[in-house]
Amino acid sequence: MEYILIFISAIFVNNIVLSQFLGICPFLGVSKKIETAKGMGLAVTFVLVIATIVTYLLQIWVLNPFGLQYLQTIVFILVIAALVQMVEIVLKKLSPSLYQALGVFLPLITTNCCILGVAILVANGTYNGQGLEPNLLTGIIYALATALGFALALIVFAGLREQLSLVRVPKGVEGMSIALVTAGLLALAFMGFSGIDKGIAQFFS
């Protein structure tokens, strides 16, 4: 049950983009088409989960034992950058069209604060673990749920922007202005999930 609560909380209640405002750059930049949003969501999910595992093990086995915690941010960025390069090479060979569609935003995953933020939270054991002892398993579940929450928000937002492209909007709010208003309304909609994890926990307790 606790693992299910982690999933629900990370995807809906504490959505990394709409509640914690991390990963805003790709959220706004790669949300014009649903297909592109799906590709970015998949790439972020892969990088986030693998980066969380690798950075957690580095933190426990290398940085903490040798007193190198001050190198955490630099080491984590290097790990994420290497993983992004791997994703970039794979996409270029397997799906050139998606690689072209993602464009400059694919390398920007390297500096995506969503990935770095989750990696640091899991490594430090400061994420919302629903009362569970922070460890690698709960960290992986939290990272996967966070990535799915990011992908969900990105795809829903892309769908809304596709619909907006088919309707007439006032000239003063065309382009990014109406996108930001829509993002704000989407964030308000997700606020409706607030407390649902606690309600489920009380129901099954």
Side-chain angles (χ1 to χ4, degrees):
M1 174 55 66
E2 288 82 2
Y3 297 122
I4 294 174
L5 292 177
I6 291 176
F7 249 92
I8 294 172
S9 178
I11 294 174
F12 298 106
V13 182
N14 297 312
N15 187 279
I16 197 73
V17 180
L18 301 174
S19 296
Q20 302 184 50
F21 309 111
L22 295 175
I24 295 295
C25 179
F27 179 70
L28 294 175
V30 197
S31 56
K32 292 182 180 179
K33 294 184 179 180
I34 293 178
E35 287 304 316
T36 309
K38 287 179 181 177
M40 175 59 80
L42 186 62
V44 167
T45 300
F46 175 79
V47 173
L48 184 53
V49 173
I50 301 301
T52 299
I53 295 171
V54 175
T55 53
Y56 181 88
L57 295 177
L58 282 172
Q59 183 76 31
I60 299 300
W61 291 347
V62 179
L63 300 182
N64 289 347
F66 293 98
L68 301 173
Q69 292 91 337
Y70 61 93
L71 293 175
Q72 183 188 67
T73 303
I74 297 173
V75 170
F76 284 15
I77 288 175
L78 290 174
V79 169
I80 294 167
L83 290 171
V84 170
Q85 285 296 316
M86 185 168 61
V87 171
E88 199 169 350
I89 292 168
V90 170
L91 278 182
K92 197 171 184 179
K93 289 189 175 182
L94 298 181
S95 182
S97 58
L98 179 58
Y99 175 79
Q100 292 293 332
L102 293 175
V104 69
F105 292 99
L106 185 57
L108 280 178
I109 296 179
T110 306
T111 54
N112 187 344
C113 53
C114 164
I115 296 175
L116 181 60
V118 171
I120 290 174
L121 286 174
V122 172
N124 294 341
T126 53
Y127 57 96
N128 182 14
Q130 298 293 336
L132 293 176
E133 186 69 26
N135 54 47
L136 183 57
L137 177 58
T138 55
I140 292 171
I141 292 172
Y142 174 74
L144 178 60
T146 300
L148 293 176
F150 176 85
L152 174 65
L154 189 62
I155 292 168
V156 171
F157 188 50
L160 292 173
R161 291 188 72 177
E162 281 193 0
Q163 290 295 316
L164 283 172
S165 67
L166 301 175
V167 300
R168 294 178 63 184
V169 296
K171 270 196 173 299
V173 292
E174 284 182 348
M176 189 54 68
S177 299
I178 191 66
L180 289 172
V181 171
T182 306
L185 293 173
L186 186 60
L188 285 172
F190 267 69
M191 284 180 66
F193 293 111
S194 181
I196 191 173
D197 53 338
K198 294 178 182 177
I200 292 173
Q202 288 178 357
F203 180 79
F204 285 101
S205 61

